[in-house]
Amino acid sequence: MKKTQGLRNIAAAIATAGLCAPAFAQSAASLAFQNAVKGPPPGWSGPVFKLSRDYPATVPAQCPECTWLKVDVNFRPKFPPPEDNVWSSGKWDEYLKGILDYVKQGQDPQLDNKVGFQINVGGKTRWFNVPWMAYDPTVGREFVHGTTNERTAHLQDLIHPQNDRSRGPKPVVGANSIAGATPECEAQNKAGFETWSVGYYNEWGGMAFGKAIPKSGVPQVTTYMGTKVPAGLPFPPGTVVVKFLTTNAPPECVPYLKGSPEWQIDRHVLDTANNKYTCERKVQISRIVQVDVAVTDPRSPTGWVYGTYAYSAEQPGTTFWDHLLPLGIQYGSDPWTFPAVPKAESIRVQQSVLNPGVNIYQHFGCEGRLAGPVDNAQSSCMSCHGSAFAAPDGAVSVMGTNVPASFGFAGMCTQYSVANTDYFNNIIAPQKFSGGNFPDALPLDTSLQLEVAFQQYGQFNTYKAPAACMIGK
Ligand code: HEC
């Protein structure tokens, strides 16, 4: 009784001070594992996301279903790099197909909105989510599918003149020339499109999360080979991550999205008068545009292989999975290629292997490294993910200050510089970020969702309230 009264007084005092009282009253344990920033409204009859958080305490030493780990692919760099595209000859097509076969086991053939992605496969929980991603009311998990908001994609990122196979960071010239994309469509979507996505780790990744962020909700740090890392890291062999990315771009604008699963997403409302997204959220339709995967592979120079698929209406087949067109894989950032080295010394990329059989628009990252349709074309999967680090001691992470600038810096991909050399380098956990700039940052073994989790815990730990909404400001 007394205790409650005391808490009420504190809450009242905090409310007077202008802080968010309920956030204070909630514990790290409850905030870390909440399902969504806001639950469904009364009378809601659609799907409801439940955070998969019963992380296994132990996992088998080997993953028998990880068939790709037995595919004979070659991770050794060659100087000069191979002339031919090694997508098929190097068995990367088989490697990536094995991962998709594993991911789609036990899933709905259409990945229908009502069913979503199933966490149980063959009678046990195979897929787990990352905690602390439902704290921020602006971009945090929504209640229908558990997606979170990322960088807003612009129309140019999603559409491209038919059969233009040009590579590199060259911006696409105008949306008018696109088959099927009317000038009205472009004019009507000046604010760009929102990417909301949801990621799942299998048991091997889930076990690591259970150690890194246990039931207390407070991230745990341990020492691995002399370096401070989150407990449970590096991720063990057998780890698989999958991420479904949605866009609100309609198929009238982006022809290859025709037939893609339409998911209900509790996302930002567009103020059509001002062409700006607002802080208000409402359930609206988005479509699955890209599926990303990442697996640990002890043979890789970074310990990882990243791969991506684009939804393509043109792919033959009847299921959602049939329509996933593999775009390529990446296991390193090609530190021998511009802008990690000067143009004169630059050699062809070889740690990204792109599917040459892609006949819809493909979106490559910096200098032909791999990136997906909604990713930053000045970056690449491995370079952005290689910069996954967290501020130590429960502090707030500030990119470029106490953790690397994952999303960009002046001259990214456009000039040879120290920043580019560091960003397009290969490191393997528990190595520190190249260049020695962030000596205290904790290596996260490429997990940017774990970076979000540490960041959100840091926000809670420091301010006891999430950051204010900045959308449209
Ligand atoms: C410019 C940065 C950037 C690029 C480029 C990028 N990602 Fe990510 N990725 C993120 C961020 C940030 C997250 C965590 C937030 C989230 O999942 O919503 C993430 C999450 C993921 C996850 C979930 C697991 C994790 O590490 O958090 C996978 C898998 C993934 N990305 C794969 C890819 C693949 C494959 C590519 C290339 C086709 C790619 N990413 C390119 C920023 C990037």
Side-chain angles (χ1 to χ4, degrees), residues 251-272:
E252 298 85 81
C253 293
V254 185
Y256 66 78
L257 283 179
K258 201 157 167 265
S260 173
E262 296 187 348
W263 274 17
Q264 291 173 296
I265 302 286
D266 187 32
R267 59 177 171 79
H268 300 123
V269 173
L270 183 71
D271 168 2
T272 44

Side-chain angles (χ1 to χ4, degrees), residues 73-149:
V73 287
N74 191 348
F75 289 94
R76 278 189 307 278
K78 289 199 185 73
F79 302 100
E83 292 264 346
D84 298 331
N85 184 308
V86 297
W87 174 248
S88 297
S89 61
K91 298 197 175 161
W92 288 108
D93 53 350
E94 189 184 331
Y95 191 99
L96 198 53
K97 186 177 175 300
I99 302 173
L100 189 63
D101 287 345
Y102 174 80
V103 166
K104 72 184 185 196
Q105 274 168 24
Q107 300 298 333
D108 182 59
Q110 304 307 339
L111 201 65
D112 186 78
N113 174 60
K114 285 196 218 66
V115 187
F117 189 68
Q118 301 286 303
I119 58 165
N120 293 316
V121 178
K124 61 181 180 114
T125 311
R126 172 180 282 181
W127 299 105
F128 300 88
N129 301 114
V130 176
W132 273 116
M133 290 182 78
Y135 183 56
D136 188 293
T138 311
V139 299
R141 283 196 201 282
E142 47 81 41
F143 68 84
V144 192
H145 289 292
T147 67
T148 59
N149 184 207

Side-chain angles (χ1 to χ4, degrees), residues 446-466:
T446 83
S447 176
L448 283 165
Q449 293 198 339
L450 196 51
E451 178 160 341
V452 173
F454 268 77
Q455 164 66 21
Q456 290 303 302
Y457 173 74
Q459 175 76 26
F460 165 78
N461 186 41
T462 311
Y463 299 109
K464 306 289 180 251

Side-chain angles (χ1 to χ4, degrees), residues 130 133 148-151 197-201 209 241-243 245 290-294 304 306-308 328 330 370-373 375-377 379-385 387-388 399 406-408 412 423 445-452:
V130 176
M133 290 182 78
T148 59
N149 184 207
E150 281 171 47
R151 186 184 87 89
S197 58
V198 59
Y200 292 87
Y201 282 72
F209 278 107
V241 202
V242 60
K243 180 176 163 187
L245 295 88
Q290 180 179 338
V291 177
D292 285 345
V293 292
W304 287 88
Y306 275 68
T308 191
Q330 187 180 18
L370 181 67
D375 292 323
N376 184 345
S379 182
S380 74
C381 312
M382 278 310 314
S383 26
C384 191
H385 279 270
S387 69
M399 285 192 178
S406 301
F407 292 107
M412 179 159 85
Y423 190 74
D445 195 13
T446 83
S447 176
L448 283 165
Q449 293 198 339
L450 196 51
E451 178 160 341
V452 173

Side-chain angles (χ1 to χ4, degrees), residues 219-446:
Q220 303 295 305
V221 172
T222 181
T223 301
Y224 179 82
M225 291 171 49
T227 303
K228 274 191 181 171
V229 295
L233 260 56
F235 290 99
T239 301
V240 180
V241 202
V242 60
K243 180 176 163 187
F244 298 91
L245 295 88
T246 72
T247 178
N248 54 322
E252 298 85 81
C253 293
V254 185
Y256 66 78
L257 283 179
K258 201 157 167 265
S260 173
E262 296 187 348
W263 274 17
Q264 291 173 296
I265 302 286
D266 187 32
R267 59 177 171 79
H268 300 123
V269 173
L270 183 71
D271 168 2
T272 44
N274 295 311
N275 254 316
K276 276 184 179 163
Y277 287 99
T278 62
C279 294
E280 188 194 340
R281 284 164 71 159
K282 203 176 86 185
V283 176
Q284 302 164 75
I285 295 296
S286 287
R287 289 166 188 80
I288 299 190
V289 56
Q290 180 179 338
V291 177
D292 285 345
V293 292
V295 297
T296 49
D297 191 323
R299 299 171 294 176
S300 162
T302 56
W304 287 88
V305 176
Y306 275 68
T308 191
Y309 314 81
Y311 183 88
S312 167
E314 287 172 30
Q315 282 291 99
T318 52
T319 70
F320 161 75
W321 308 98
D322 291 339
H323 283 98
L324 291 181
L325 175 63
L327 295 187
I329 59 93
Q330 187 180 18
Y331 55 84
S333 286
D334 276 283
W336 316 277
T337 303
F338 182 81
V341 297
K343 273 227 157 100
E345 293 165 24
S346 181
I347 59 172
R348 205 176 319 120
V349 298
Q350 56 183 314
Q351 298 189 322
S352 287
V353 185
L354 308 171
N355 177 3
V358 171
N359 61 1
I360 57 162
Y361 155 58
Q362 41 187 331
H363 178 119
F364 298 122
C366 182
E367 294 288 310
R369 295 170 175 92
L370 181 67
V374 301
D375 292 323
N376 184 345
Q378 308 285 87
S379 182
S380 74
C381 312
M382 278 310 314
S383 26
C384 191
H385 279 270
S387 69
F389 282 80
D393 308 322
V396 176
S397 308
V398 182
M399 285 192 178
T401 303
N402 56 7
V403 293
S406 301
F407 292 107
F409 44 84
M412 179 159 85
C413 193
T414 58
Q415 68 193 58
Y416 165 61
S417 65
V418 171
N420 276 310
T421 303
D422 294 343
Y423 190 74
F424 292 99
N425 196 11
N426 292 335
I427 52 170
I428 186 161
Q431 257 182 304
K432 296 283 185 186
F433 191 66
S434 308
N437 283 331
F438 310 101
D440 301 324
L442 305 170
L444 301 181
D445 195 13
T446 83

